[in-house]
């Protein structure tokens, strides 16, 4: 296992993958309503589709010499979702990590520069803070998946696209219980708040002061880089800026806030060059070191971003 935090801190900038689930959806592949991308590991055609997407991102790292974060597609492969889908929870999570490790092994020159994370998501809807679990319930619910991901050989666990600080707190405690290196990433709006209404800086402080092992660091996702800059620039997030605890962003291509995008049929996306320039500017403005894509992005966005980072 790579010491992920030390590796990141030794880099000027690190790429992260762009969208995966949305690309699968746009390519016409039916998504399992419970498992989403995780279901694709269960058959060869699905695994081939995932390989193509992940390789399109890793190829950019190989071409530019940047390190890259790649995340196993386990975001909705929690225990309840697997029961509803009628599949074995352990098998699915292990198969997802094994697939990513197999793909990474095809890039020996990047052997210590592909950082493999295991995704954990909220039990309810990613844009529905009202469906979030209370912290102790979340601690119990997420413990099994975190343990399986750690045993399967991820470099870290990433709690991503979380709408609620309460559920994030429970995930943090579960990761601490398991000794799992954790990265915490909330959905953020342009008003500088998590979807449950908590100011982002307060959310980070809450997670960091639970009394258990805190996350390695924090990220944000599912927000356009220009909106993220507005969120970070708000007076109430001044302590967060000063703390240096939030160092990563996986950004949407759309300037719409995440709750405006939820359920939207048509793709709304910024120009890749403009998006990439806005992303690269965050590195100097707010110390954002890990930069990647979320909804609406693909390899065009990540390649443009990489060019800004290495030029």
């Amino acid at each position: 296992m790579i010491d992920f935090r030390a590796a990141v801190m030794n880099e000027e900038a690190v790429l992260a993958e762009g969208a995966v689930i949305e690309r699968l959806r746009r390519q016409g592949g039916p998504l399992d309503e419970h498992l989403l991308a995780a279901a694709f590991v269960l058959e060869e055609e699905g695994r081939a589709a995932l390989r193509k997407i992940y390789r399109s991102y890793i190829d950019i790292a190989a071409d530019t010499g940047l390190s890259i974060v790649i995340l196993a597609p386990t975001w909705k492969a929690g225990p309840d979702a697997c029961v509803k889908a009628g599949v074995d929870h352990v098998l699915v999570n292990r198969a997802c990590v094994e697939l990513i490790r197999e793909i990474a092994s095809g890039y020996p020159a990047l052997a210590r520069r592909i950082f493999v994370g295991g995704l954990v998501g909220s039990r309810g809807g990613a844009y529905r803070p009202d469906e979030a679990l209370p912290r102790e319930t979340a601690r119990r619910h997420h413990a099994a998946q975190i343990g399986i991901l750690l045993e399967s050989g991820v470099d870290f666990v990433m709690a991503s696209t979380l709408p609620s600080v309460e559920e994030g707190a429970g995930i943090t405690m579960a990761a601490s219980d398991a000794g799992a290196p954790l990265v915490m990433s909330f959905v953020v709006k342009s008003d500088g708040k998590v979807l449950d209404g908590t100011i982002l800086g307060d959310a980070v402080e809450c997670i960091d002061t639970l009394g258990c092992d805190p996350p390695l660091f924090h990220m944000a996702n599912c927000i356009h880089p220009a909106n993220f800059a507005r969120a970070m620039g708000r007076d109430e997030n001044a302590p967060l800026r000063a703390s240096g605890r939030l160092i990563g962003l996986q950004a949407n291509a759309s300037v719409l806030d995440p709750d405006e995008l939820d359920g939207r049929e048509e793709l709304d996306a910024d120009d890749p060059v403009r998006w990439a320039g806005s992303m690269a500017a965050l590195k100097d403005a707010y110390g954002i070191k890990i930069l990647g894509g979320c909804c609406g992005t693909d390899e065009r966005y990540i390649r443009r971003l990489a060019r800004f980072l290495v030029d």
Side-chain angles (χ1 to χ4, degrees):
M1 180 188 291
I2 294 171
D3 184 337
F4 181 48
R5 188 180 188 282
V8 167
M9 292 306 173
N10 284 332
E11 301 273 2
E12 285 293 317
V14 176
L15 282 180
E17 67 186 33
V20 174
I21 293 172
E22 193 176 69
R23 286 183 65 180
L24 292 169
R25 184 180 288 117
R26 293 206 305 265
Q27 291 169 9
L31 292 178
D32 182 276
E33 64 175 321
H34 305 297
L35 299 178
L36 299 180
F40 279 66
V41 303
L42 299 176
E43 56 183 38
E44 183 50 41
E45 184 179 355
R47 290 192 291 272
L50 287 170
R51 287 188 191 100
K52 183 178 180 180
I53 291 172
Y54 287 116
R55 284 173 179 158
S56 75
Y57 296 133
I58 301 175
D59 285 345
I60 297 167
D63 292 343
T64 59
L66 292 165
S67 296
I68 188 166
V69 170
I70 295 293
L71 301 164
T74 51
W75 182 54
K76 286 298 180 182
D80 285 5
C82 288
V83 168
K84 291 175 182 176
V87 297
D88 183 84
H89 181 223
V90 176
L91 182 151
V92 169
N93 280 272
R94 283 183 178 165
C96 286
V97 177
E98 287 170 1
L99 178 67
I100 298 303
R101 286 296 185 192
E102 172 215 300
I103 295 167
S105 70
Y107 298 83
L110 294 175
R112 302 288 295 177
R113 305 195 71 186
I114 299 174
F115 308 127
V116 176
L119 279 172
V120 173
S122 59
R123 183 187 181 192
Y127 306 124
R128 294 290 304 273
D130 57 302
E131 295 179 354
L133 296 175
R135 66 180 64 184
E136 286 298 336
T137 306
R139 184 182 197 169
R140 294 189 297 271
H141 173 79
H142 292 288
Q145 186 183 19
I146 289 170
I148 294 164
L149 292 171
L150 191 61
E151 291 170 6
S152 299
V154 297
D155 296 317
F156 64 98
V157 172
M158 181 166 170
S160 181
T161 325
L162 296 182
S164 160
V165 178
E166 268 293 292
E167 188 157 5
I171 293 172
T172 302
M173 293 188 290
S176 177
D177 294 339
L182 178 70
V183 175
M184 178 66 57
S185 184
F186 289 109
V187 182
V188 183
K189 294 179 65 174
S190 54
D191 64 2
K193 297 177 181 178
V194 178
L195 295 187
D196 66 3
T198 306
I199 294 167
L200 179 58
D202 292 346
V204 168
E205 183 180 12
C206 173
I207 296 298
D208 282 352
T209 56
L210 287 169
C212 62
D213 293 333
L216 302 177
F217 47 78
H218 295 260
M219 294 179 57
N221 70 297
C222 222
I223 181 173
H224 187 274
N227 292 342
F228 178 75
R230 281 192 282 274
M232 286 294 286
R234 291 183 174 271
D235 291 345
E236 55 265 39
N237 280 320
L240 175 61
R241 297 194 299 272
S243 74
R245 286 289 288 149
L246 196 153
I247 64 167
L249 174 67
Q250 285 187 279
N252 283 353
S254 174
V255 296
L256 297 176
D257 263 336
D259 50 357
E260 297 176 290
L261 284 171
D262 190 21
R264 189 182 178 96
E265 296 271 338
E266 65 276 14
L267 182 66
D268 182 82
D270 197 358
D271 172 75
V273 176
R274 184 166 54 240
W275 178 91
S278 297
M279 286 290 287
L282 296 172
K283 177 176 172 289
D284 293 329
Y286 298 111
I288 304 302
K289 295 172 67 78
I290 303 174
L291 299 123
C294 200
C295 304
T297 62
D298 54 29
E299 74 274 15
R300 297 171 301 152
Y301 288 79
I302 304 304
R303 188 167 292 280
R304 289 288 185 179
L305 172 58
R307 288 175 182 170
F308 272 102
L309 294 176
V310 299
D311 287 347

